[in-house]
Amino acid sequence: MNQITLQADPSRDLHKDQNREKILQAAATEIHRCGFQAASIANILANTGLTKGALYHYFPSKQILGLAVVDEVIYERLEQKMFTPLNTADRPVDILLEYLQFRQDTMTDESIKLGCPLNNLTQEMSPLDDNFKAHLNQILQTWQTVIENALLKGQTQQQIRADVDCSAAALFIVSAWEGCWGMAKNRQSVEVFQTCLSQLRNYVLNLGSGGK
Amino acid sequence: MNQITLQADPSRDLHKDQNREKILQAAATEIHRCGFQAASIANILANTGLTKGALYHYFPSKQILGLAVVDEVIYERLEQKMFTPLNTADRPVDILLEYLQFRQDTMTDESIKLGCPLNNLTQEMSPLDDNFKAHLNQILQTWQTVIENALLKGQTQQQIRADVDCSAAALFIVSAWEGCWGMAKNRQSVEVFQTCLSQLRNYVLNLGSGGK
DNA sequence: CAACATCCATACCGGTTGGTATCTAACCAC
DNA sequence: GTGGTTAGATACCAACCGGTATGGATGTTG
């Protein structure tokens, strides 16, 4: 591209793709609310004030729009809120426990009702579409690895018992986390989420003390 | 009804609703494969050889068909395979652990790919439809209660520590169980399911020994 | 046999879906 | 200025959706 132009007016590109971003965010919201298959392109556009011309200019199909939501919205959020903090922490096990506590304390009815965006899409799309499966899988595997590394570091810091299988434990933590979301979403109860998550915290704490 | 007729030819009623049952099973399969919203009535009928006339004769709407699947297919299966065995066992905690082991050992690729029928429907429909939510909720709560009672009985048998919150633990077991399904469904890997479920068994075992 | 309910096939409907073809305005480099 | 690219509005489409109305078999009952 023309580097001079970019440097001369860096805000242009931001402005240029402003509508793309609007569509992306509206799609993320609609997909979160209805699932991917039931998400209506007409609804997405109604929330942006744009029309199909704009959408199909940026995204050649609904599927590609959905994948963009996965990569650019869902992954980005997790990266900022979980992966980076855990990867850069001095005592990542503490951060993990704090994060569980934080989510337990700040969960809202609205979030519970809609459920975890990643989990929703995963459950719906993984068996149906290999592209979705691949993109969602990458996020879940990254997540698992981040937690596994946190536990491994915890082992060197005597926070986690040496006999713990950190890979399996990380897998279970991610699974159970999503399970807690799911249960709370069904019951539509913040309290259920809190109870459930505190049991998960017990599991993590047990990785560090007497238990089997 | 006419009791004499029923006694005279008890097979008649079975035959009579044979097509209803066919539709119900085909619907369960289609819903398991595609989810409820994406389940196509045309597809369901194609797998039965029947037509819309038959379906709408037995089920006044797609929603009611879906609820019938929940009540008559999904619930029945759980009742037979889990609730009754746990409720009638002498040492229910043993049965619970055996059941986890059994599912871990006998899980198939096909089942993993499609995921847990109950969990799938729950995630999809609970936020969208209060009727589905109510019916699915009842199953989940029954399940939780069955496990809670098993744990309580385990406490009297010194299999579970006295300080364990059996209600919270039961909630977590159901949640984590569904979470394991979900994770394995995404990865489409029986091995992931096994790893994950063995961690859940560790959690249950920890309710009985030294932990926290 | 006649009257009636049950069972189910057929044809059809309005609404919604994702997607496309066309066109216009704005902007860009030359 | 002028030709070409980009952004996006509008109108339209075939396919599919769940659902309904009708009518014809097939018993079931008086």
Side-chain angles (χ1 to χ4, degrees):
Chain A
M1 309 297 175
N2 190 335
Q3 200 176 355
I4 296 173
T5 305
L6 287 175
Q7 287 180 341
D9 186 1
S11 75
R12 174 173 309 269
D13 272 5
L14 285 167
H15 173 75
K16 187 180 149 190
D17 287 342
Q18 191 177 325
N19 283 338
R20 192 191 120 101
E21 190 61 25
K22 252 207 280 196
I23 292 171
L24 205 58
Q25 291 299 329
T29 301
E30 170 83 359
I31 289 173
H32 192 195
R33 187 160 41 211
C34 311
F36 175 76
Q37 295 176 96
S40 155
I41 290 194
N43 270 1
I44 293 171
L45 291 169
N47 288 330
T48 62
L50 299 168
T51 61
K52 285 194 178 181
L55 192 149
Y56 281 94
H57 173 70
Y58 292 110
F59 306 98
S61 73
K62 188 189 179 187
Q63 189 211 32
I64 288 179
L65 172 62
L67 295 177
V69 167
V70 172
D71 294 339
E72 299 179 39
V73 180
I74 296 180
Y75 178 78
E76 285 300 320
R77 267 187 235 156
L78 278 173
E79 166 113 67
Q80 286 177 26
K81 305 229 168 141
M82 281 211 48
F83 301 164
T84 301
L86 281 176
N87 278 331
T88 60
D90 282 339
R91 294 175 68 82
V93 174
D94 291 343
I95 299 295
L96 176 61
L97 288 167
E98 275 170 29
Y99 185 73
L100 291 177
Q101 184 71 54
F102 172 74
R103 292 308 292 265
Q104 186 175 328
D105 293 340
T106 61
M107 187 53 58
T108 66
D109 285 331
E110 181 65 14
S111 293
I112 285 294
K113 177 168 177 122
L114 292 180
C116 170
L118 173 60
N119 194 36
N120 291 357
L121 262 182
T122 293
Q123 298 304 314
E124 178 188 5
M125 296 307 295
S126 277
L128 296 183
D129 185 301
D130 282 339
N131 283 102
F132 269 95
K133 186 188 133 195
H135 285 244
L136 294 161
N137 234 323
Q138 207 220 325
I139 299 181
L140 282 170
Q141 301 231 18
T142 300
W143 190 356
Q144 183 189 338
T145 302
V146 166
I147 291 185
E148 179 181 351
N149 287 336
L151 295 177
L152 286 169
K153 195 165 179 180
Q155 279 185 325
T156 73
Q157 296 171 335
Q158 269 83 36
Q159 279 189 293
I160 302 292
R161 275 178 288 118
D163 67 307
V164 168
D165 179 343
C166 292
S167 172
L171 180 66
F172 182 68
I173 289 169
V174 175
S175 303
W177 165 263
E178 298 294 9
C180 292
W181 268 97
M183 180 61 72
K185 170 177 162 186
N186 177 256
R187 296 276 186 87
Q188 289 181 22
S189 154
V190 171
E191 195 190 332
V192 163
F193 184 75
Q194 292 168 338
T195 302
C196 215
L197 215 58
S198 79
Q199 292 297 114
L200 176 56
R201 250 193 14 264
N202 281 350
Y203 169 83
V204 176
L205 290 170
N206 256 328
L207 298 175
S209 64
K212 172 197 154 117
Chain B
M1 305 301 174
N2 191 333
Q3 200 177 356
I4 297 171
T5 305
L6 286 175
Q7 286 181 342
D9 185 0
S11 75
R12 175 173 309 269
D13 273 3
L14 283 167
H15 173 74
K16 188 182 147 191
D17 286 342
Q18 191 177 324
N19 283 338
R20 193 191 118 99
E21 190 61 25
K22 251 206 280 196
I23 292 171
L24 205 58
Q25 291 299 329
T29 302
E30 170 85 358
I31 289 173
H32 192 194
R33 188 160 39 209
C34 311
F36 175 76
Q37 295 177 95
S40 155
I41 290 193
N43 271 1
I44 293 172
L45 292 170
N47 289 329
T48 63
L50 300 169
T51 61
K52 286 193 178 182
L55 193 148
Y56 281 94
H57 172 71
Y58 291 110
F59 306 98
S61 72
K62 187 189 179 186
Q63 191 211 32
I64 288 180
L65 172 60
L67 295 177
V69 167
V70 172
D71 295 339
E72 300 179 39
V73 181
I74 296 180
Y75 179 79
E76 285 300 320
R77 267 186 234 155
L78 279 172
E79 167 113 66
Q80 286 177 26
K81 306 231 169 139
M82 281 210 50
F83 301 163
T84 301
L86 281 176
N87 278 332
T88 61
D90 283 338
R91 295 176 68 81
V93 174
D94 292 342
I95 300 294
L96 176 60
L97 288 167
E98 274 170 29
Y99 185 74
L100 292 176
Q101 185 72 53
F102 172 74
R103 293 308 293 264
Q104 186 176 328
D105 293 340
T106 60
M107 187 54 58
T108 65
D109 284 332
E110 182 65 13
S111 293
I112 284 295
K113 177 167 179 122
L114 292 180
C116 170
L118 173 61
N119 194 36
N120 291 356
L121 262 183
T122 294
Q123 297 305 313
E124 179 187 4
M125 296 308 295
S126 276
L128 295 183
D129 185 300
D130 282 340
N131 283 102
F132 269 95
K133 186 188 133 193
H135 285 244
L136 293 162
N137 235 323
Q138 205 220 326
I139 299 182
L140 282 170
Q141 301 229 19
T142 300
W143 190 356
Q144 183 189 336
T145 302
V146 166
I147 291 185
E148 180 181 349
N149 288 336
L151 295 176
L152 286 169
K153 194 163 182 180
Q155 277 184 327
T156 73
Q157 298 171 333
Q158 268 81 38
Q159 279 187 293
I160 301 292
R161 276 178 287 117
D163 67 306
V164 168
D165 179 343
C166 292
S167 172
L171 180 66
F172 181 69
I173 289 169
V174 175
S175 303
W177 165 264
E178 298 293 10
C180 292
W181 267 98
M183 179 61 72
K185 170 177 161 187
N186 177 256
R187 296 277 185 88
Q188 289 180 21
S189 153
V190 170
E191 196 191 330
V192 162
F193 184 75
Q194 293 169 338
T195 302
C196 213
L197 214 59
S198 80
Q199 292 299 112
L200 177 56
R201 253 197 6 268
N202 281 349
Y203 169 84
V204 176
L205 289 171
N206 257 328
L207 298 176
S209 63
K212 179 203 149 96

